[in-house]
Amino acid sequence: MELNGGVPSGPIEQKWDRHRFEMRLVSPTNKRRYRIVVVGAGLAGASGAATLAELGYDVRCFCFQDSPRRAHSIAAQGGINAAKNYQNDGDSVYRLFYDTVKGGDYRSREATVYRLAEVSAAIIDQCVAQGVPFAREYSGYLANRSFGGVQVSRTFYCRGQTGQQLLLGAYSALVRQIALGQVRMHARHEMLDLVVVDGRAAGIVTRDLVTGEIASHAADAVVLATGGYGNVYYLTTNAKGCNVTAIWRAHRRGAFFANPCFSQIHPTCIPVSGEHQAKLTLMSESLRNDGRIWVPARRDDARPPGEIPESERDYYLERMYPSFGNLVPRDVASRAAKAVCDEGRGVGPGGQGVYLDFAEAMARLGEDVIRERYGNLFEMYQRITGEDPYARPMRIYPAVHYVMGGLWVDYNLMSNLPGLYVVGEANFSDHGANRLGASALMQGLADGYFILPYTIGDYLAGRSPEARPPADHPAFRRAENQAREKIRRLIAVNGTRTADSFHRELGHLMWEHCGMSRNARGLNVLLERIPALREEFWRSVKVPGEAADFNQAVEHAGRVADFLEFAELMARDALDREESCGCHFREEHQTPDGEALRDDERFAHVAAWEFAGVGERPIRHTEPLVFERVHLSQRSYK
């Protein structure tokens, strides 16, 4: 089955404006009659909920954190892209669009990427108006810096706290609407199921994480803004609470899951130090602006970095990619780091690391400038590793960071289930097979502030609020009972292994066979091992406590159970996509010099999977990717 992305006709520069004019509107006096449920309160969720409430809709917002301020969006450090061209260095809406399509290795939908670039400038204006303290030049103009995969400076930043400051801006807008009564906030609530009535999203079932109460919430439309599924790998830069549950439960109810194998490996993370770790720490990609990445030129060189002369250092990114140097995209930088470590030239314990060195930048700019630009990041590194990055190069290594896959959505951000909208990292929409740095915050805020509020109105204008099924509809009761039964089953196993031990084992399998590189043999191993591990989970997991109570063990066990189902789909998608593109590097498909080799004839499409049952082969649908403005070519950063 071929999916229709609903892209408007006409020149790409006019599609969004024309579409906004042609969409149906809901009159201001009618908006209050419509109820919208928003699940997630990070950048996409908070901005979406606040803007929808500002328009007059009745909004119910849910998050499993104790406050929206604890959403994982707060952890983003480096910045947010926008085509302002403040540096007068050749940037434009079209260049941001082109860089994003190319960076994603031509596996994203042209029209949605152009729209993202088009609204990017308005995001900065919105955030400045909210008081977001972007870094500024001495003159008072907003400062910019570069990120990987581009040759211009278009990234706005808040000195290592960009995500936090942007989230505080969105949170303040959300709190204003809560105080006005337009948003009813439900913190410490986890979505356990999507309720579908007559083929449409009609609401959700949640569990109160404090009391254990399971309840239904009816709505005219449901918005999922629940982030990504990177924690399927266990050790990632994501917050420990990040999970796949909300979008996976929606997938089980009929929402298609697109490109699940597209998971991004970030090149600048603090290396793994031992089995005691439960997560990894990201060092901002902004460090690659001034830091130089290198390894010893010869194998097994155990000398301290200060004793290795310049002539015996390999600045391998500068050597391999002279046009972009240390600012190549994340997937390219990550694979290059893995390659030199596999050659035996890695540094640190186990040889799983490369140096990120600021000695040249401090000599050129002065240590005070580096402290001003990156001081809080250097302090974080020193506290975690016990090493002073001013005196000794940082050690970094790639780690799982972001996912480009997610629920399939059309141009209006609606899934194949009418009434179910998906925004931010939870959808597949804008980044193709590799996200450019500083584009996650851009997408989350674009979706929430500037796209969803228009497109959801077009859907609601064709629906009567009286058609909204009540929360005691039989479909809600069935979903509640199924949620209770799953929790009962988890507790009833009463086995001998913790859910965390299963999660760690699954993560190790995924990293080994579906991590920075994949091959058919390893993926087939996964498709054999994951079902066996899932069966063992349901025989041996130990979940203490009661269901109707505060019980974090049962929360975690439910999320791990979903990861054990989702991981099989992820491996299946990676096996069926017999090409290399962006972060999806199939070892069987590479150029003579080791770069990703696409197969545009067979795979220039989105793969969207339909759930067919646990353990059953899912149904693969496609959306062809049509490129009218960008010429498909072998991606090169040399």
Side-chain angles (χ1 to χ4, degrees), residues 125-437:
D125 296 339
Q126 168 89 0
C127 295
V128 169
Q130 290 175 333
V132 172
F134 287 117
R136 293 179 181 267
E137 305 288 0
Y138 180 77
S139 62
Y141 289 114
L142 297 180
N144 290 128
R145 57 189 177 199
S146 295
F147 259 61
V150 304
Q151 292 178 307
V152 297
S153 296
R154 67 162 66 101
T155 302
F156 297 78
Y157 61 97
C158 303
R159 294 193 61 197
Q161 302 175 4
T162 312
Q164 177 179 352
Q165 298 300 332
L166 292 174
L167 184 62
L168 288 174
Y171 175 68
S172 65
L174 177 62
V175 168
R176 176 174 180 272
Q177 296 303 319
I178 295 171
L180 290 171
Q182 287 296 120
V183 174
R184 185 176 299 177
M185 189 71 219
H186 299 268
R188 295 176 177 168
H189 281 70
E190 181 168 33
M191 173 182 156
L192 296 184
D193 212 345
L194 175 75
V195 178
V196 179
V197 177
D198 297 329
R200 296 176 181 270
I204 62 172
V205 171
T206 64
R207 180 175 183 269
D208 185 321
L209 300 182
V210 177
T211 67
E213 178 188 4
I214 290 176
S216 294
H217 307 271
D220 297 288
V222 175
V223 179
L224 297 186
T226 53
Y229 49 82
N231 274 351
V232 69
Y233 289 95
Y234 188 76
L235 280 180
T236 78
T237 67
N238 290 191
K240 284 298 291 179
C242 294
N243 61 81
V244 76
T245 289
I247 57 175
W248 184 251
R249 303 286 173 92
H251 173 62
R252 289 182 57 132
R253 291 296 183 186
F256 293 170
F257 212 117
N259 299 337
C261 75
F262 288 172
S263 57
Q264 183 171 78
I265 314 296
H266 197 293
T268 54
C269 300
I270 297 178
V272 176
S273 59
E275 285 293 312
H276 64 282
Q277 286 182 282
K279 74 177 300 295
L280 299 175
T281 302
L282 171 70
M283 299 307 297
S284 170
E285 185 176 344
S286 63
L287 295 171
R288 292 201 278 156
N289 273 280
D290 291 306
R292 300 180 70 192
I293 297 172
W294 64 276
V295 292
R298 66 172 191 248
R299 294 167 55 93
D300 303 319
D301 192 336
R303 289 178 292 174
E307 296 179 10
I308 302 177
E310 284 286 317
S311 60
E312 297 179 30
R313 299 181 179 187
D314 180 12
Y315 294 90
Y316 57 91
L317 290 177
E318 299 172 30
R319 169 176 56 82
M320 297 167 65
Y321 306 100
S323 292
F324 284 75
N326 295 300
L327 288 174
V328 292
R330 291 174 175 178
D331 61 318
V332 176
S334 295
R335 285 195 294 272
K338 180 179 185 296
V340 295
C341 290
D342 289 348
E343 292 170 6
R345 296 193 286 142
V347 300
Q352 296 296 300
V354 300
Y355 288 128
L356 179 59
D357 194 340
F358 285 83
E360 187 273 338
M362 285 190 283
R364 173 170 48 87
L365 301 170
E367 185 175 315
D368 288 346
V369 173
I370 298 302
R371 285 185 182 275
E372 182 181 353
R373 290 181 180 176
Y374 311 112
N376 55 337
L377 297 171
F378 277 44
E379 180 184 357
M380 182 173 69
Y381 179 88
Q382 185 168 9
R383 288 187 177 187
I384 291 171
T385 66
E387 300 175 5
D388 181 2
Y390 294 101
R392 180 186 179 96
M394 292 182 182
R395 289 179 296 106
I396 58 169
Y397 192 71
V400 175
H401 176 58
Y402 187 89
V403 295
M404 285 69 65
L407 293 187
W408 182 88
V409 292
D410 64 12
Y411 187 77
N412 284 349
L413 301 180
M414 187 163 70
S415 75
N416 60 293
L417 289 178
L420 176 64
Y421 288 79
V422 192
V423 294
E425 191 180 0
N427 73 31
F428 88 100
S429 184
D430 296 340
H431 307 300
N434 176 63
R435 176 176 69 80
L436 292 182

